[in-house]
Amino acid sequence: MNKQGWRVGAGHAVDEARPVRFTFDGVAYSGLAGDTLASALMANGVRLMGRSFKYHRPRGLVGIGAEEPNALVAVRRPGFCEPNTRATMAELYDDLDAISQNRWPSLRFDMGAVNDALAPFIPAGFYYKTFMGPTRKAWMAYEWMIRRAAGLGAASREPDPSRYEKMHAHADCVVVGGGEAGLSAAIEAATAGERVIIIDEAPALGGWRLREREVNGAQALVATLRGFDSVTVLTRTTAFGLYDGLQIAAVERAQDHLPAFDAHTPRQRLWLIRGKRIVLACGAQEQPTQFKDNDRPGVMLAGAVRGYLNQYGVAAGRRAVIVTNNDSAYQTALDLRAAGLDVAAVVDARETLSEGAAKMARDADVEVFAGAHVTRAIYKGGLRAAEIEQAGRIRSLPCDLIAMSGGWTPAIHLSTHLGGKPVYDEAGGFFLPPKPRPGIEYRGAMAGEGLDRAERPLRLAHDRAFVDFQGDVTVKDVKLAHREGYRSVEHLKRYTTLGMGTDQGKTSNLAGLTIMAGLTGKSVAETGVTTFRAPYTPVSIGALGGMDAGERLRPVRRTPMQDWHEMNGGAMGESGLWRRPKAYVRDGETVLSAQIREARAVRGGVGCVDVSTLGKIEAQGPDAAEFLDRIYASPVKTLKVGRARYGLMLREDGVVLDDGTLARLGPNHYYLTTTTAQAANVLAHMEYHAQVTWPEMRVSLVSVSDQYGAIAVAGPQSKALLSRLAGEEAFDDAAFPYASIKIIPFGGVSVRVLRMSYSGERAYELHVPADAALSLWEALIDAGATPYGTEAMAILRIEKGHVAGAELDGRTTAADLGLAKLASKPTDFIGKRMQARPGLVDAARPSLVGLMPADGASRIRSGAQITAGQDARNPGPMLGHVTSACFSPAMERPIALALLSGGLQRQGEMLFAHYPLRDETVAVTVVSPVFYDAEGARLHA
């Protein structure tokens, strides 16, 4: 096991008495409790931690926190692997197993590094110009290669065994940031009697102060805060989004720092927190400087160097060159010297030092090169020296560490999530948050307080200086974007990928904007800043989903007859959120033979099917008739009490939304049914228009889908069977004609009975209170009804040419489906005007037809493409597609419904249905979509 040869003292965060074992790329190391993976690797002398995305250049640590762009690793546990974990944020635990990414075959020897030699040929935007051609085949030739190169880490293909959960919380004051400013704000609010939630992504409160030599002040504030019972502290919690209504979204890493997951505790917890007011005290982030090869391992942010030294007792190097344009980096020189490390020099871009900087230089006894710049890092298997320029003179300073500080910029990301634009502070040389919205305030470094001024001369560094480490964006790329006209900050971002990585430009945006400003001759303020979007740092899909996974994401809904179906041979299949019987399979039967038997039983006698899955809505109120008349394309106001009719509903764009049944129970009382698939959408559609479009209308809408079970009884013997159960008078045709609704008692239970049919046979729908549905179902079976499933129901529907889910695909109009007469009433309704658009009345639009195989026997498959050409390799233009298909017992042959350009004008034509997945081509004849009983005589038989 490797020794921790770079541990030079006792850091505030680590416990020297508690060693921790871990592995990186299969090599065993040891660290200390309190280490991060980054600090522990540094303590063991590991400087190479990753490869860059595009050029596969060797990369080491740059930062110490969320801003880290380079050290992205995959952390593995049994049955679990999370890629793109920042080593700076991964807390060490026993037996942690991490691997590097984006390299092959190994981190030290990566074949992808050939891209670095090819860099002149693959500049920014090269793929826009290279991977193209006159046809789509040109792209297809390159696609496999591009997709293999895309991305950094590889997600696990195994199911995630971890648990996740969501929490909702409310507070008077929500403070984001656990530094001195945030602690002070939280104490102030708690002292005033407010309920406070304070959030910080680190394991402990204290913020940047924990990375300095002196931590007593921060510890005192933390102790004071914890004395208030009204304060909730959320550490290891990243606030990643700010939303309307003063809501903070945050993710808590509840167990990522533990060696083993507790099965009763979630790995991560998503917090949705609302506050009466929000204080953002997110601090500031140090910026790098640009010089040739500034991305090499051993080139780090000065503040991070100081943090590793003080917080973890780890030296980032033995001999450092510090390059800066502000005062803060001088404290790094002091701390390095205090730890017995060598500081070769401070290279300061400013011509004149401030008094504070001059004093710290004297105290550290280091040489300062004022008005100087580092021009390149000299790297040969490791960092060897820094080349500097001062007054035209070039010299080389031997070192194994370059600590750079390009100044600090407030961490303004959260403040911009509500749409505000940051404001550039010319005096400070950084962007400040936008004007705060009511209820939001900024504190500390985020508001620009206490930040050293950084001089940002609009001086262009070497072309091979890296601006965005994660995206491999160089100064040359920014120049190219300028030269090719991509000068808007948003265009610059997308053309070069500047700031598009997982770090969201935390250490690159300001530099890129400054360079573009220098090229255009504009100020940084005039150049502007790109838009920051949530999340602030990457959030796992598991945390966003919480417990909504598997059955919790799509809970299986059960009809009142579910157990009966399963115990009586029901071959269950998924239908949306429901599991419904496809057929009731008897001994010696297949599902196919069972469904054909069931369909014949309905046509020849009587059958019953569970249709409890239909959406059911009650609409009541003085304006219910007027409201529904506007919602439905079918007439509503003319519907008499006790009558029902087919209900067609359009979207605002004139396309069919749903079909179902409209029934009028009283002058101001309607009972509506919808398809299973659209039940929730139809209710939402109606509620929206009731609340937003016509809020003055007095109408109440209530879903009763779960309150009623529903059974369709169909077949020429349906009336006789029901009469035996409820009396002949109840089903007298004169008192209960087709398209009616009637409340009929069955065994003391009032049942809403609709005389409607979707099978072409005399049929009734029985809507019964859910707790009595099973008893009625069993009574029907005992009385002689044959139970049938969804497959037989589909056969009956297709034989009659009734449209359903496959035809109502969100693209078809009433005219396409042969239902134009239903949408031609004189009164206005949603979608009426839009359905008359030229594109929706074009004669070439696909419309509903029937298909039969020309040979009378070949199977036609759903989804098959219809063309005029027989050759599957060159079939000609697609004329339409098959929407529903089955073997018809009534017709004794395969049949299908299709949407075909030209529709019934092609009746009698022979076309070809191609099904490429099975390499099948069937010659078909276009016929009417109504295959069975076109006159409708059997509805009254």
Side-chain angles (χ1 to χ4, degrees):
M1 184 173 294
N2 290 337
K3 303 288 186 180
Q4 299 179 50
W6 293 81
R7 191 85 66 174
V8 295
H12 307 310
V14 295
D15 185 349
E16 292 183 287
R18 293 170 56 200
V20 177
R21 296 172 300 172
F22 69 100
T23 60
F24 178 64
D25 278 348
V27 179
Y29 298 97
S30 66
L32 299 177
D35 264 326
T36 63
L37 175 61
S39 65
L41 287 172
M42 289 273 287
N44 285 277
V46 177
R47 295 296 181 265
L48 177 61
M49 298 186 193
R51 290 278 176 168
S52 68
F53 169 59
K54 183 176 176 182
Y55 298 131
H56 288 249
R57 287 168 66 89
R59 291 284 169 81
L61 287 171
V62 170
I64 194 172
E67 77 286 353
E68 174 57 39
N70 285 346
L72 303 181
V73 301
V75 176
R76 302 185 296 190
R77 295 175 185 260
F80 172 82
C81 177
E82 183 165 85
N84 293 328
T85 300
R86 286 156 294 160
T88 55
M89 301 296 290
E91 296 179 60
L92 208 63
Y93 53 80
D94 266 323
D95 298 324
L96 181 148
D97 179 22
I99 57 173
S100 55
Q101 303 180 152
N102 201 45
R103 82 291 185 279
W104 183 84
S106 69
L107 181 59
R108 190 157 296 279
F109 180 75
D110 178 18
M111 293 293 292
V114 68
N115 287 1
D116 197 24
L118 298 175
F121 305 102
I122 49 175
F126 78 97
Y127 32 80
Y128 298 130
K129 308 166 189 173
T130 305
F131 303 116
M132 57 192 298
T135 67
R136 186 173 183 271
K137 291 182 179 179
W139 163 254
M140 297 292 288
Y142 302 114
E143 183 180 18
W144 68 272
M145 179 175 61
I146 296 173
R147 293 198 181 281
R148 287 197 62 176
L152 286 169
S156 172
R157 295 183 179 273
E158 301 299 320
D160 187 348
S162 310
R163 288 186 60 241
Y164 301 89
E165 71 179 25
K166 297 181 182 179
M167 295 287 288
H168 292 262
H170 295 77
D172 297 312
C173 179
V174 181
V175 179
V176 180
E180 289 181 312
L183 290 168
S184 299
I187 292 170
E188 178 185 307
T191 303
E194 293 182 289
R195 290 178 299 114
V196 179
I197 295 176
I198 184 169
I199 302 167
D200 195 86
E201 64 184 357
L205 297 177
W208 191 267
R209 182 57 63 186
L210 297 181
R211 295 168 182 166
E212 305 291 2
R213 276 190 286 174
E214 176 55 56
V215 297
N216 291 339
Q219 291 174 341
L221 288 173
V222 173
T224 301
L225 183 69
R226 292 192 178 276
F228 291 95
D229 294 334
S230 60
V231 175
T232 299
V233 176
L234 295 178
T235 51
R236 296 188 176 94
T237 304
T238 300
F240 65 81
L242 175 61
Y243 301 95
D244 289 332
L246 298 182
Q247 178 174 262
I248 290 285
V251 63
E252 178 186 5
R253 300 177 297 281
Q255 294 200 73
D256 284 354
H257 60 292
L258 301 177
F261 288 167
D262 176 1
H264 302 290
T265 303
R267 173 189 164 228
Q268 293 181 352
R269 185 180 287 116
L270 177 69
W271 286 85
L272 299 174
I273 306 169
R274 289 191 185 273
K276 293 181 180 177
R277 64 189 184 94
I278 292 175
V279 177
L280 298 180
C282 304
Q285 293 158 342
E286 195 168 21
Q287 300 298 294
T289 57
Q290 283 69 53
F291 47 87
K292 186 179 180 182
D293 292 336
N294 61 331
D295 65 321
R296 295 298 193 181
V299 181
M300 298 176 61
L301 294 171
V305 170
R306 189 162 77 250
Y308 284 112
L309 182 64
N310 296 323
Q311 194 167 9
Y312 304 107
V314 173
R318 304 292 188 195
R319 177 178 171 85
V321 168
I322 297 174
V323 52
T324 185
N325 60 4
N326 66 93
D327 286 359
S328 67
Y330 285 83
Q331 186 62 51
T332 300
L334 284 172
D335 290 358
L336 289 173
R337 292 302 297 268
L341 301 171
D342 190 14
V343 178
V346 175
V347 181
D348 198 321
R350 298 173 295 182
E351 295 288 347
T352 304
L353 303 186
S354 68
E355 291 184 8
K359 181 180 184 306
M360 284 190 282
R362 289 193 299 272
D363 291 344
D365 191 23
V366 296
E367 184 177 8
V368 176
F369 295 93
H373 305 276
V374 171
T375 55
R376 71 179 177 121
I378 300 174
Y379 185 88
K380 295 179 181 178
L383 187 63
R384 303 304 179 193
E387 184 181 271
I388 71 169
E389 176 189 358
Q390 185 184 38
R393 181 186 174 191
I394 302 294
R395 69 178 73 186
S396 180
L397 297 177
C399 64
D400 61 356
L401 171 65
I402 297 177
M404 56 183 173
S405 178
W408 297 74
T409 184
I412 60 176
H413 295 65
L414 282 181
S415 68
T416 65
H417 287 177
L418 293 177
K421 280 292 185 183
V423 179
Y424 188 70
D425 185 307
E426 292 286 355
F430 45 68
F431 281 95
L432 290 171
K435 181 181 178 181
R437 294 195 177 191
I440 298 176
E441 57 182 290
Y442 311 129
R443 296 282 186 95
M446 184 176 179
E449 299 170 8
L451 293 183
D452 289 337
R453 183 183 185 280
E455 289 186 5
R456 301 191 189 282
L458 300 182
R459 166 186 172 273
L460 294 184
H462 191 278
D463 280 359
R464 200 66 167 144
F466 283 80
V467 180
D468 186 316
F469 297 115
Q470 194 168 109
D472 272 342
V473 180
T474 64
V475 171
K476 181 181 179 180
D477 294 325
V478 179
K479 289 180 179 179
L480 178 63
H482 172 265
R483 189 165 63 249
E484 299 198 354
Y486 295 96
R487 299 168 188 175
S488 159
V489 291
E490 297 294 353
H491 292 164
L492 169 66
K493 174 180 179 178
R494 284 153 183 81
Y495 189 70
T496 64
T497 70
L498 176 71
M500 289 179 63
T502 62
D503 63 335
Q504 284 210 18
K506 293 178 176 65
T507 58
S508 61
N509 266 19
L510 187 57
L513 299 174
T514 303
I515 293 168
M516 181 57 78
L519 292 167
T520 59
K522 296 180 179 179
S523 66
V524 178
E526 291 171 325
T527 302
V529 65
T530 55
T531 301
F532 297 114
R533 297 179 177 89
Y536 169 72
T537 54
V539 177
S540 69
I541 298 297
L544 294 175
M547 298 181 71
D548 299 333
E551 289 190 357
R552 294 188 181 93
L553 175 63
R554 292 174 56 85
V556 176
R557 300 187 67 181
R558 300 172 61 85
T559 74
M561 288 74 83
Q562 185 87 16
D563 291 338
W564 191 96
H565 301 322
E566 294 176 353
M567 290 187 297
N568 286 273
M572 310 303 288
E574 289 190 6
S575 178
L577 294 178
W578 304 87
R579 282 182 56 78
R580 304 180 69 184
K582 295 187 289 185
Y584 300 91
V585 182
R586 298 174 180 175
D587 290 342
E589 285 186 328
T590 63
V591 173
L592 178 61
S593 61
Q595 69 195 38
I596 292 173
R597 170 183 54 79
E598 292 168 1
R600 285 182 171 141
V602 175
R603 295 283 186 222
V606 59
C608 59
V609 61
D610 183 0
V611 291
S612 301
T613 60
L614 294 175
K616 310 171 196 74
I617 301 170
E618 298 257 7
Q620 298 187 59
D623 297 321
E626 175 64 28
F627 175 77
L628 294 175
D629 206 50
R630 299 181 187 183
I631 289 287
Y632 281 91
S634 308
V636 178
K637 288 190 288 188
T638 58
L639 189 65
K640 295 180 179 180
V641 174
R643 299 308 300 267
R645 66 170 43 121
Y646 181 79
L648 184 69
M649 186 182 298
L650 306 184
R651 299 189 316 219
E652 289 85 347
D653 60 0
V655 171
V656 174
L657 172 61
D658 193 49
D659 69 340
T661 303
L662 282 159
R664 194 168 191 171
L665 292 171
N668 300 320
H669 188 185
Y670 291 83
Y671 184 61
L672 319 170
T673 68
T674 75
T675 61
T676 298
Q678 292 293 341
N681 292 336
V682 167
L683 181 62
H685 174 76
M686 296 172 72
E687 287 182 331
Y688 171 83
H689 288 290
Q691 296 175 30
V692 178
T693 310
W694 305 299
E696 71 283 358
M697 284 197 168
R698 296 164 296 170
V699 60
S700 172
L701 302 166
V702 178
S703 172
V704 291
S705 296
D706 294 331
Q707 280 65 42
Y708 286 91
I711 306 166
V713 182
Q717 298 298 317
S718 58
K719 175 184 175 181
L721 182 144
L722 292 172
S723 295
R724 291 197 296 272
L725 295 177
E728 292 186 7
E729 292 183 2
F731 290 91
D732 178 71
D733 283 350
F736 194 9
Y738 181 73
S740 298
I741 186 169
K742 192 174 182 180
I743 298 177
I744 300 174
F746 282 78
V749 178
S750 294
V751 178
R752 294 176 177 179
V753 183
L754 282 157
R755 186 174 172 190
M756 301 290 291
S757 177
Y758 291 90
S759 62
E761 303 292 337
R762 176 188 282 266
Y764 302 85
E765 279 187 17
L766 282 57
H767 293 249
V768 55
D771 56 356
L774 178 59
S775 297
L776 180 56
W777 174 267
E778 291 177 331
L780 293 168
I781 303 298
D782 292 342
T786 298
Y788 64 97
T790 57
E791 294 297 324
M793 185 169 62
I795 291 173
L796 301 173
R797 173 186 69 79
I798 296 168
E799 288 177 338
K800 281 297 293 181
H802 285 306
V803 297
E807 290 78 33
L808 305 179
D809 64 358
R811 297 178 293 178
T812 49
T813 67
D816 297 339
L817 303 174
L819 304 174
K821 289 183 179 180
L822 294 176
S824 61
K825 67 184 183 184
T827 55
D828 204 1
F829 56 87
I830 292 173
K832 179 177 181 178
R833 293 178 177 83
M834 296 297 280
Q835 70 175 344
R837 288 179 293 167
L840 298 189
V841 296
D842 188 342
R845 279 183 64 82
S847 57
L848 189 70
V849 298
L851 299 177
M852 282 189 176
D855 61 7
S858 296
R859 179 179 179 181
I860 307 171
R861 295 187 183 273
S862 295
Q865 301 171 350
I866 304 170
T867 69
Q870 183 175 3
D871 185 354
R873 291 171 295 181
N874 188 25
M878 192 174 95
L879 302 175
H881 68 282
V882 178
T883 56
S884 303
C886 70
F887 176 84
S888 167
M891 307 302 294
E892 296 185 342
R893 69 182 63 191
I895 61 173
L897 297 177
L899 289 169
L900 179 65
S901 177
L904 291 178
Q905 295 174 8
R906 294 181 177 271
Q907 194 162 344
E909 283 189 31
M910 190 174 79
L911 301 172
F912 298 91
H914 301 283
Y915 194 71
L917 293 178
R918 291 179 178 266
D919 196 22
E920 292 179 358
T921 297
V922 178
V924 295
T925 303
V926 181
V927 298
S928 166
V930 183
F931 297 93
Y932 177 77
D933 186 27
E935 298 77 19
R938 296 184 65 88
L939 287 174
H940 311 286

